[in-house]
Amino acid sequence: MMPERSREGSRRIFARACTLMPGGVNSPARAFGAVGGQPVVVDRGDGCYLWDVDGNRYIDYVASWGPLILGHRHPAVIAAIEEVLRHGTTFGAPTRWENELAELVVEAVPSIEQVRFVNSGTEASMSAIRLARGYTGRDKIVKFAGCYHGHVDALLVQAGSSATTLGAPSSPGVPEGCTRDTLLLPYNDSDALRQAFKQYGSQIAAVILEPIAGNMGVVPADREFLQAVRSLTAQYGSVLIFDEVITGFRVAYGGAQSLLGIQPDLTVLGKIVGGGLPVGAFGGRREIMSKLLPEGKVFQAGTLSGNPLAMAAGAATLRVLRDTNPYAALDRKTERLCAGLQAAAEEAGVEHVIQRVGSMFTLFFRSGPVRNYADALEANTDRFAAYFRGMLERGVYLPCSQFEANFVSTAHEDADIDATIEAARAVFAALP
Ligand SMILES: *Cc1c(COP(=O)(O)O)cnc(C)c1O
């Protein structure tokens, strides 16, 4: 058994945080609500490791929820931020650093001819929806249960309903009016989509989806479903929006769309594109993007949008990814990790299925396959919580919910993967 780790510092700081901030956090998942126990208060990160304020070290598979594909404090990213710092922090005027990141994005992502930078994935999907509505002159949007697009009012509809329903908001504070034009459909269900288009086609401004879902755990879209999404939106003149906030630069340099060979009209980016600083982006066909103010009439703005430090961190990250092309190696490394976890779970007779695309994966505590939100919700979350706490106790920091993606970075070495599998073997054997 591992010695009991001291978490006194984390306990003290988090207790104070709870008096200062609701739940002690600035984003709810961090509070460990789904798994119980004491959140780890982080002191620093380096490569694939995190250290808490008590000096405990963890192998990190959260990667700040996706951005850190190069690990913590990658030298090229730190150097780029330091270089820009000598010029200032923000100007609210055009700078060359915006061009640098825009050029990299346009070059990388097949369907993006023009891009606009914002400060989060939420802002990016909110703006993309507004642009799609402005461009089409229509109001309705289609979203899929289990897909997350940030905390945009109109997209906070996810109830695990498998029927075609006009969306009911899933948070207090979102008026019904905000979601009246949101059609909620089950993921990977082409028939439901066909039905929705038959009924509302001429009123649908946009269909938004994660082409590989990461926010109900990893759930890839079927090829047949994606083809139906693409052909129906084209047929009815609706805008197809891929939310690639997680998958962009993660599953391939050009995102899921380059991996799957399907081109959306608009793409939403975040996480990796900011290299660990707050950046979101949306982009696509010039004809659509030109409707944005000041070229067009669709309003969208941001005091800190295109922030030089954030642009530099994103550009440095993308350059490393472009120049080193780590995707095959990431795939092999993650495959080895998943094979090890699977063998360990089988040994212990733990019912599970692992779903993986490249360096993102989820181990679901149910037998597979998981094709939609309803499937995901059948996972045994008590078992997940015990697994999570056991891994944390053994120095492995996993996302603190069953319905999240684990991320492997270029900084994870074979020894880290082996240590993770070893820890999992011990934890699975002791699961209730
Ligand atoms: C994280 C995420 C968002 C929201 O991005 P924020 O920067 O947290 O606002 C949107 N879409 C997807 C697919 C995400 O994973």
Side-chain angles (χ1 to χ4, degrees):
M1 278 302 289
M2 303 278 297
E4 181 68 18
R5 283 160 184 261
S6 164
R7 296 241 172 69
E8 204 31 55
S10 281
R11 218 180 302 277
R12 190 168 36 77
I13 292 172
F14 192 70
R16 178 70 179 136
C18 286
T19 70
L20 297 166
M21 294 169 281
V25 292
N26 288 297
S27 193
R30 298 175 197 171
F32 281 21
V35 290
Q38 175 66 43
V40 167
V41 175
V42 175
D43 179 56
R44 68 191 173 94
D46 198 44
C48 73
Y49 303 120
L50 283 179
W51 283 266
D52 67 18
V53 291
D54 296 296
N56 301 305
R57 193 190 80 169
Y58 305 88
I59 305 172
D60 179 19
Y61 292 97
V62 178
S64 193
W65 303 92
L68 301 181
I69 191 170
L70 301 178
H72 297 271
R73 301 189 75 257
H74 188 282
V77 178
I78 299 297
I81 295 171
E82 283 174 348
E83 164 66 23
V84 174
L85 259 181
R86 287 202 277 269
H87 296 257
T89 56
T90 177
F91 309 107
T95 67
R96 61 178 178 276
W97 297 290
E98 295 163 275
N99 287 21
E100 285 180 23
L101 186 55
E103 260 167 27
L104 284 159
V105 168
V106 165
E107 186 185 272
V109 185
S111 67
I112 297 186
E113 293 174 353
Q114 282 197 323
V115 64
R116 178 161 285 179
F117 293 112
V118 293
N119 306 290
S120 69
T122 297
E123 248 188 274
S125 57
M126 177 184 79
S127 305
I129 292 287
R130 184 183 303 146
L131 176 58
R133 283 171 161 164
Y135 171 73
T136 57
R138 304 173 181 177
D139 290 342
K140 289 199 189 307
I141 51 178
V142 171
K143 81 141 324 242
F144 298 94
C147 283
Y148 178 65
H149 307 293
H151 59 98
V152 180
D153 280 349
L155 298 173
L156 271 185
V157 195
Q158 46 194 210
S161 159
S162 57
T164 305
T165 54
L166 283 166
S170 55
S171 166
V174 179
E176 253 171 54
C178 284
T179 57
R180 197 164 36 216
D181 290 313
T182 306
L183 296 159
L184 179 68
L185 298 178
Y187 197 67
N188 270 329
D189 187 339
S190 327
D191 287 338
L193 186 66
R194 231 168 261 125
Q195 202 53 42
F197 267 98
K198 217 175 191 175
Q199 198 170 349
Y200 300 106
S202 64
Q203 304 170 54
I204 295 174
V207 173
I208 185 167
L209 80 161
E210 300 177 67
I212 297 161
N215 287 290
M216 50 179 143
V218 173
V219 179
D222 300 338
R223 175 157 297 276
E224 185 266 327
F225 174 66
L226 281 177
Q227 278 162 352
V229 169
R230 178 63 283 184
S231 65
L232 284 164
T233 47
Q235 183 187 336
Y236 285 90
S238 309
V239 175
L240 174 55
I241 305 173
F242 273 8
D243 182 344
E244 296 229 42
V245 170
I246 287 181
T247 53
F249 312 101
R250 166 62 63 181
V251 296
Y253 186 59
Q257 57 194 272
S258 73
L259 193 69
L260 304 165
I262 296 201
Q263 297 230 351
D265 303 304
L266 289 179
T267 300
V268 177
L269 296 169
K271 298 191 170 129
I272 291 174
V273 78
L277 269 70
V279 179
F282 62 104
R285 282 167 37 210
R286 190 181 309 272
E287 180 208 352
I288 304 177
M289 292 302 289
S290 67
K291 301 295 186 231
L292 277 178
L293 214 64
E295 245 184 281
K297 296 218 159 19
V298 177
F299 189 82
Q300 197 283 324
T303 301
L304 291 172
S305 290
N307 174 265
L309 294 170
M311 296 293 103
T317 299
L318 266 47
R319 272 192 209 103
V320 171
L321 292 172
R322 181 192 63 188
D323 297 345
T324 63
N325 191 10
Y327 294 97
L330 276 170
D331 186 67
R332 277 195 302 277
K333 191 155 50 175
T334 314
E335 183 179 32
R336 201 168 75 75
L337 171 59
C338 290
L341 293 175
Q342 184 177 337
E346 275 166 11
E347 242 167 67
V350 173
E351 191 183 20
H352 73 287
V353 62
I354 298 177
Q355 300 200 164
R356 176 182 78 87
V357 180
S359 58
M360 58 190 276
F361 73 92
T362 298
L363 188 158
F364 290 98
F365 286 90
R366 56 152 286 175
S367 51
V370 176
R371 297 187 63 249
N372 56 38
Y373 193 41
D375 290 349
L377 290 177
E378 282 172 15
N380 186 332
T381 51
D382 291 338
R383 282 210 142 169
F384 175 83
Y387 168 66
F388 170 86
R389 288 195 302 265
M391 294 297 275
L392 190 70
E393 214 44 56
R394 285 167 179 78
V396 181
Y397 191 72
L398 303 175
C400 52
S401 159
Q402 168 74 94
F403 310 107
E404 298 284 354
N406 296 257
F407 298 110
V408 174
S409 76
T410 57
H412 289 84
E413 307 265 0
D414 281 349
D416 304 307
I417 302 292
D418 290 338
T420 305
I421 296 168
E422 246 356 274
R425 184 168 288 126
V427 172
F428 286 141
L431 275 186

